[in-house]
């Protein structure tokens, strides 16, 4: 029997990034008992690692706007993806042949991990403180011989375990059944092999690959064979990343993060740093105020199970609309017209009656009357399934914005950036680090704030840090999307987008409240959905909704405004989670022929890769985290097409060397021989570890910028 090892990336697959890590699972949730069934209650939501039945099942998920938390990958010849699912959705997938293999994170975990982190921080303050080989098609039965090229062969050792990763391409690109097996040999003579899996993207063959495989020691030879008889030349695997930063001096200060931080906490931290380091810090108020932690007040008038309207305030709930009452009444007289009145914060609809005095108004008529007669105060839509039904006498119902955060200010939000350096006048090369474009990625502002505080705290005691602040102008936006982040902390952990609701009609039904908003990292201008690139959506309920137009959102406008206002910025890092990627442009392509944005020049590609080695090496210094070589490279090659992302606009339009981090690498579980995901809001010990290692990566990016500027001056 032929075992097909294949995974095809759907052209429209977008949402988040995920990858790998090989360090002990300190502070993270314990792996589930492999014998225990994985299940959710019907109303529970979680990030679930699911082994899908086949490619068709993945295609259906993508077409229906499923919330994919990573790029699906091949494991043991099957497609595995991390999905944000309710219990009902998981049951449906299971009934269709999928298998849940890991609960990465439950919806309530984020709140618990945040509370745990805060309690732990308060306590510290008070105290003063594998892949089994599949069947291979017989070479004798092959009708053609292909040629194989080893594109990647890298190894590394972390926490006592050595890993090998390979990527091989065949010239038989149109044959979906070609199987490739890698054979390896170590310095002490041990040998072994593992299968690779076919990877297609947007219908185009790319290569065969596998997740990093454990090997007993340093591999010294690798070769590949195919089921068509092709044999690659033998190569010597290369040590990855083969770069490390300068050693830290005695007394170097770090570890400034002791809890998850809400946008309110971040605002306070920015204020404190500006006060504490007046000679090294400016605070920049970015020009576009966001909507703020606000929503329209809404309620059901009637019974959604029988007949009902959705009535919504035109103004936000905090603008004196929360608590407004809406009701329908029977006038108690015959031959009365349908009327609408508003008095003393009560919207009253008096239903029309017939000659017998029976109410005769339909749901559609009542909605139309409210919209026509109170357009400045209310919007009404007919609930799904209620069109044309008799409108019942109902209410009063109280409108409410549904927001649970009592400590979040209900007003437009001013997004702030920190500017760090001795010379904050544009005369030095600039570096931008920005995070939390996606609200649910709680660890990302911990990275940028840890980085900022390291630079400031060591400026007076460490000559090397002082030199960096003399030579580099640093900009940090800890939270690009504060409104969505406030909603994620207080209302719905898995909120990805901002809080601006561009939906119309039935999509404004409050049952969709956790799906409203714009994906900030799909709202930029280069390679956008509006220009025909894939990886974003026009569906306002999609996790990667691109908005009404390019730069329609205040949040994306702020990132670009900062870069435009400071043309000395030549390097930028967009910090996301979860998954252990290190990426750069191009980040988008057109589906027809998989035509990417223009590739960087040879010199720029070399700079991107060499800098990546340095930065990945710096990340690994903290706790052995290694970002896989297969997940280091252009976004469109190692992840998927992400139409309208910020890095592409910074690079192609403003000439900035723009990268993307994905923090929160998968961990290797030696008990199961599997890589396991950590989620968007892991237990704080894991998030703290991510903040420490990736802050080190940002410090190395500053060194990269310094060296680049020095070379430019010398040239």
């Amino acid at each position: 029997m032929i075992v097909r090892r294949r995974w095809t990336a759907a052209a429209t697959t977008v949402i988040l990034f995920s990858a790998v890590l090989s360090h002990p699972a300190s502070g993270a949730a314990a792996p589930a008992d492999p014998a225990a069934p994985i299940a959710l209650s019907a109303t529970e939501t979680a990030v679930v690692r699911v082994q899908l039945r086949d490619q068709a099942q993945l295609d259906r998920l993508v077409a229906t706007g499923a919330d994919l938390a990573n790029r699906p990958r091949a494991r043991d010849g099957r497609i595995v993806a991390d999905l944000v699912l309710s219990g009902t959705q998981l049951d449906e997938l299971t009934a269709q042949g999928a298998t849940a293999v890991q609960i990465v994170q439950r919806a309530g975990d984020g709140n618990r991990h945040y509370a745990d982190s805060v309690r732990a921080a308060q306590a510290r303050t008070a105290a003063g403180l594998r892949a089994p080989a599949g069947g291979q098609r017989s070479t004798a039965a092959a009708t053609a011989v292909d040629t194989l090229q080893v594109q990647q062969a890298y190894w590394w050792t972390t926490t006592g375990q050595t890993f090998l990763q390979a990527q091989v391409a065949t010239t038989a690109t149109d044959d979906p059944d070609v199987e490739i097996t890698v054979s390896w040999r170590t310095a002490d003579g041990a040998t072994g092999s593992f299968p690779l899996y076919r990877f297609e993207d947007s219908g185009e063959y790319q290569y065969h690959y596998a997740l990093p495989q454990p090997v007993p020691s340093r591999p010294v030879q690798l070769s590949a064979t195919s089921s068509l008889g092709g044999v690659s030349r033998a190569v010597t695997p290369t040590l990855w990343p083969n770069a490390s930063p300068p050693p830290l001096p005695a007394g170097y200060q770090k570890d400034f993060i002791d809890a998850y931080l809400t946008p309110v906490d971040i605002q306070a931290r920015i204020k404190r740093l500006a006060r504490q380091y007046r000679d090294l810090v400016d605070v920049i108020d970015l020009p576009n105020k966001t909507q703020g932690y606000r929503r329209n007040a809404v309620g059901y008038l009637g019974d959604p199970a029988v007949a009902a309207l959705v009535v919504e305030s035109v103004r936000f709930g905090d603008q004196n609309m929360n608590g407004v009452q809406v009701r329908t009444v029977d006038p108690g007289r015959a031959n009365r017209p349908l009327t609408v009145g508003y008095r003393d914060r009560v919207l009253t609809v008096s239903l029309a009656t017939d000659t017998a005095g029976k109410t005769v108004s339909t749901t559609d008529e009542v909605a139309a009357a409210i919209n026509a007669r109170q357009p400045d105060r209310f919007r009404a839509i007919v609930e799904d399934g209620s069109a044309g039904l008799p409108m019942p006498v109902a209410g009063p119902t109280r409108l409410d914005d549904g927001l649970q955060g009592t400590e979040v200010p209900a007003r437009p939000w001013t997004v702030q950036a920190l500017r760090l350096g001795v010379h904050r006048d544009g005369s030095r090369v600039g570096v931008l680090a920005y995070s939390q474009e996606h609200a649910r990625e709680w660890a990302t502002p911990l990275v940028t704030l840890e980085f900022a505080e390291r630079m400031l705290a060591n400026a007076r005691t460490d000559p090397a840090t002082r030199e960096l602040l003399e030579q580099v102008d640093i900009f940090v936006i800890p939270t690009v999307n504060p409104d969505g982040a406030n909603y994620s902390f207080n209302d719905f952990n898995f909120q990805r987008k901002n809080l601006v609701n561009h939906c119309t009609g039935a999509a404004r039904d409050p049952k969709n409240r956790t799906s409203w908003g714009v994906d900030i990292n799909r709202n930029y201008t280069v390679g956008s959905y509006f220009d025909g690139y894939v990886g974003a959506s026009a569906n306002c309920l999609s996790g990667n909704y691109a908005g009404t137009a390019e730069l329609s959102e205040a949040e994306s406008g702020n990132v670009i405004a900062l870069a435009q206002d400071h043309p000395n910025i030549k390097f930028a890092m967009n910090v996301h989670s979860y998954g252990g990627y290190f990426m750069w442009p191009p980040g988008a392509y057109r589906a027809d022929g998989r035509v990417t944005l223009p590739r960087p020049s040879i010199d720029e590609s070399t700079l991107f890769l060499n800098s990546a080695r340095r930065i990945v090496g710096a990340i690994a210094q903290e706790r052995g985290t290694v970002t896989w070589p297969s997940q280091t490279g252009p976004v469109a090659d190692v992840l998927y097409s992400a139409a309208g992302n910020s890095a592409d606009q910074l690079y192609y339009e403003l000439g900035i060397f723009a990268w993307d981090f994905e923090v929160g690498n998968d961990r290797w579980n030696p008990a199961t021989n599997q890589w396991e995901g950590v989620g968007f809001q892991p237990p704080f010990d894991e998030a703290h570890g991510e903040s420490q290692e990736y802050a080190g990566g940002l410090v190395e990016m500053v060194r990269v910028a310094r060296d680049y500027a020095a070379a430019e001056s010398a040239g």
Side-chain angles (χ1 to χ4, degrees):
M1 180 180 70
I2 296 174
V3 179
R4 296 192 178 187
R5 306 183 182 111
R6 179 184 184 189
W7 176 71
T8 305
T12 53
T13 300
V14 270
I15 304 259
L16 274 195
F17 311 160
S18 178
V20 298
L21 167 135
S22 54
H23 58 73
S26 172
D33 178 356
I38 294 174
L40 302 173
S41 66
T43 58
E44 189 178 7
T45 302
V47 181
V48 186
R49 182 155 290 182
V50 179
Q51 183 171 281
L52 300 175
R53 185 189 65 199
D54 53 24
Q55 178 65 37
Q57 190 171 42
L58 173 62
D59 293 342
R60 283 194 298 274
L61 287 168
V62 171
T64 56
D67 193 346
L68 286 160
N70 68 351
R71 185 184 91 174
R73 324 177 221 182
R75 189 175 79 180
D76 300 341
R78 301 291 294 274
I79 300 168
V80 176
D82 290 4
L83 293 152
V84 180
L85 298 169
S86 68
T88 300
Q89 291 169 326
L90 178 58
D91 289 345
E92 291 173 355
L93 278 180
T94 302
Q96 296 164 7
T99 303
V101 296
Q102 183 195 356
I103 298 291
V104 178
Q105 179 195 343
R106 297 177 188 271
D109 290 348
N111 300 100
R112 176 165 54 82
H113 297 159
Y114 170 63
D116 289 346
S117 78
V118 172
R119 282 193 293 269
Q122 291 169 340
R124 286 190 293 270
T125 300
L129 294 178
R130 99 208 161 195
Q136 189 175 38
R137 187 163 60 185
S138 169
T139 303
T143 58
V145 176
D146 58 338
T147 300
L148 301 182
Q149 173 65 38
V150 177
Q151 296 181 336
Q152 285 188 359
Y154 291 104
W155 70 276
W156 61 91
T157 298
T158 181
T159 62
Q161 176 63 63
T162 300
F163 293 93
L164 172 64
Q165 185 165 46
Q167 184 173 296
V168 179
T170 173
T171 54
T173 59
D174 295 332
D175 186 343
D177 296 327
V178 175
E179 298 179 7
I180 296 178
T181 299
V182 161
S183 298
W184 50 265
R185 177 171 57 82
T186 65
D188 59 5
T191 60
S193 64
F194 54 86
L196 302 184
Y197 302 100
R198 180 182 176 92
F199 172 56
E200 295 180 4
D201 190 20
S202 193
E204 301 285 334
Y205 171 77
Q206 303 299 305
Y207 45 75
H208 281 66
Y209 83 112
L211 304 187
Q213 302 293 307
V215 293
S217 60
R218 175 174 66 92
V220 295
Q221 188 178 85
L222 178 146
S223 61
T225 59
S226 86
S227 54
L228 295 180
V231 179
S232 77
R233 64 183 180 88
V235 300
T236 301
T238 302
L239 177 64
W240 175 265
N242 199 23
S244 59
L248 296 177
Y252 185 86
Q253 300 178 70
K254 60 178 186 174
D255 199 359
F256 298 97
I257 299 299
D258 56 9
Y260 276 121
L261 299 174
T262 69
V264 175
D265 299 329
I266 290 169
Q267 204 170 53
R269 178 75 62 110
I270 289 172
K271 185 176 181 179
R272 192 260 294 168
L273 291 175
R275 183 175 63 250
Q276 185 174 351
Y277 301 100
R278 296 179 187 276
D279 58 327
L280 294 174
V281 173
D282 293 330
V283 177
I284 302 172
D285 289 341
L286 298 182
N288 305 306
K289 289 183 181 292
T290 69
Q291 172 181 291
Y293 180 65
R294 303 190 296 173
R295 277 190 166 168
N296 307 84
V298 64
Y300 291 106
L301 181 59
D303 182 353
V306 181
L309 302 182
V310 174
V311 181
E312 177 186 27
S313 66
V314 171
R315 291 183 295 169
F316 294 119
D318 66 285
Q319 296 175 311
N320 204 35
M321 296 306 290
N322 282 333
V324 165
Q325 298 182 58
V326 183
R327 62 178 183 163
T328 54
V329 298
D330 182 344
R333 297 168 61 186
N335 297 317
R336 303 307 296 173
L338 175 64
T339 62
V340 177
Y342 182 67
R343 182 177 178 181
D344 298 332
R345 289 171 48 81
V346 179
L347 176 67
T348 300
V349 179
S350 181
L351 301 175
T353 57
D354 61 14
T355 56
K358 179 183 177 182
T359 59
V360 294
S361 299
T362 66
T363 52
D364 303 78
E365 291 167 342
V366 173
I370 293 173
N371 293 331
R373 297 169 196 176
Q374 291 288 329
D376 296 332
R377 289 193 179 98
F378 302 99
R379 285 184 289 259
I381 61 172
V382 178
E383 171 70 1
D384 284 346
S386 295
L389 297 178
M391 184 68 205
V393 174
T397 186
R398 299 177 69 88
L399 304 188
D400 189 84
D401 60 18
L403 298 175
Q404 304 299 309
T406 58
E407 299 178 1
V408 183
R411 60 175 180 269
W413 193 282
T414 299
V415 179
Q416 294 181 311
L418 287 162
R419 187 177 191 179
L420 319 177
V422 175
H423 306 284
R424 304 183 302 280
D425 56 7
S427 63
R428 303 296 193 270
V429 63
V431 168
L432 168 62
Y434 58 111
S435 49
Q436 207 167 36
E437 282 185 322
H438 293 144
R440 60 193 176 190
E441 298 170 8
W442 292 3
T444 62
L446 308 185
V447 172
T448 50
L449 283 170
E450 169 71 20
F451 158 65
E453 199 144 359
R454 282 188 192 184
M455 299 302 297
L456 295 170
N458 291 290
R460 297 185 178 95
T461 58
D462 175 32
T465 300
R466 182 72 184 188
E467 180 188 18
L468 288 176
L469 287 175
E470 288 273 1
Q471 297 178 342
V472 182
D473 195 0
I474 299 171
F475 300 81
V476 179
I477 311 175
T479 178
V480 172
N481 179 12
D483 301 347
N486 278 319
Y487 192 74
S488 178
F489 273 101
N490 291 284
D491 301 274
F492 179 61
N493 287 53
F494 295 143
Q495 177 73 12
R496 171 180 167 88
K497 303 183 285 182
N498 70 3
L499 286 195
V500 178
N501 184 5
H502 291 298
C503 290
T504 58
R508 293 188 74 89
D509 189 314
K511 68 185 179 184
N512 298 315
R513 66 172 61 248
T514 59
S515 297
W516 294 332
V518 175
D519 183 346
I520 301 305
N521 204 34
R522 300 297 184 273
N523 190 235
Y524 295 89
T525 68
V526 174
S528 76
Y529 168 84
F530 304 98
D531 290 334
Y533 288 81
V534 300
S537 173
N539 178 358
C540 70
L541 299 178
S542 168
N544 58 335
Y545 173 50
T548 57
E550 296 170 350
L551 294 179
S552 62
E553 306 309 297
E555 295 88 348
S556 54
N558 281 331
V559 173
I560 299 307
L562 181 68
Q564 290 176 331
D565 291 346
H566 301 90
N568 63 316
I569 295 176
K570 297 300 179 186
F571 293 84
M573 183 70 74
N574 187 4
V575 184
H576 284 273
S577 79
Y578 60 97
Y581 286 81
F582 190 102
M583 302 174 292
W584 55 85
Y589 54 70
R590 299 178 188 271
D592 187 11
R594 198 182 179 278
V595 179
T596 70
L597 289 163
R599 298 280 175 171
S601 68
I602 293 176
D603 288 344
E604 289 189 344
S605 294
T606 300
L607 184 148
F608 275 127
L609 182 58
N610 289 344
S611 301
R613 285 179 178 271
R614 290 177 56 175
I615 296 169
V616 169
I619 294 167
Q621 294 300 298
E622 180 69 28
R623 55 175 185 170
T625 296
V626 175
T627 297
W628 299 346
S630 66
Q631 295 182 165
T632 301
V635 175
D637 294 343
V638 304
L639 190 63
Y640 42 57
S641 179
N645 71 83
S646 55
D648 279 347
Q649 184 165 355
L650 293 175
Y651 174 67
Y652 291 102
E653 205 169 73
L654 300 179
I656 296 170
F657 293 105
W659 286 293
D660 298 281
F661 273 159
E662 285 290 336
V663 311
N665 307 48
D666 281 9
R667 291 173 305 223
W668 176 253
N669 183 344
T672 62
N673 279 344
Q674 300 291 350
W675 295 100
E676 296 179 342
V678 298
F680 302 113
Q681 301 129 26
F684 180 70
D685 282 356
E686 167 61 26
H688 172 265
E690 294 168 17
S691 74
Q692 300 307 299
E693 61 196 5
Y694 278 89
L698 289 177
V699 173
E700 186 63 24
M701 183 177 72
V702 175
R703 296 191 189 101
V704 167
R706 175 203 59 192
D707 296 346
Y708 173 84
E712 289 287 291
S713 297

